[in-house]
Amino acid sequence: MGRFPGFDLDPRIPRSQYHRRRRYFAVMIIAVALFVGAGVVYQWAPAVAIGMAVVAAFMPPLAAIVGNRWERGDKWWDEL
């Protein structure tokens, strides 16, 4: 156990999983911001708001792809 047990990385989990999780959440936060922003923008420019919602609808599958992409040096056969 390290000096900071709450902040140590689990040795069983590949280090790249933490990076993948951050990338996934970053894309999903952008998607949620686009959905919320579309509701606000709809009052002034409905066409732009619909475009924002369409783009945001395609982002969750993109987030899954980005979040599950392996990095160089990963041992995919050792994953939990």
Side-chain angles (χ1 to χ4, degrees):
M1 191 178 252
R3 287 188 296 173
F4 306 106
F7 298 103
D8 284 344
L9 298 175
D10 189 351
R12 297 172 294 163
I13 299 174
R15 285 186 174 272
S16 65
Q17 183 171 348
Y18 296 102
H19 300 290
R20 290 182 284 171
R21 189 176 297 155
R22 270 189 247 141
R23 285 191 301 250
Y24 173 81
F25 281 120
V27 174
M28 288 305 293
I29 287 171
I30 293 169
V32 169
L34 281 172
F35 271 125
V36 171
V40 174
V41 171
Y42 186 75
Q43 298 171 359
W44 297 285
V48 174
I50 291 170
M52 289 171 65
V54 168
V55 169
F58 286 105
M59 291 186 80
L62 177 67
I65 292 169
V66 168
N68 287 314
R69 187 182 58 175
W70 291 95
E71 293 181 359
R72 179 171 287 213
D74 282 344
K75 298 180 180 175
W76 55 270
W77 55 88
D78 284 344
E79 181 114 0
L80 297 175

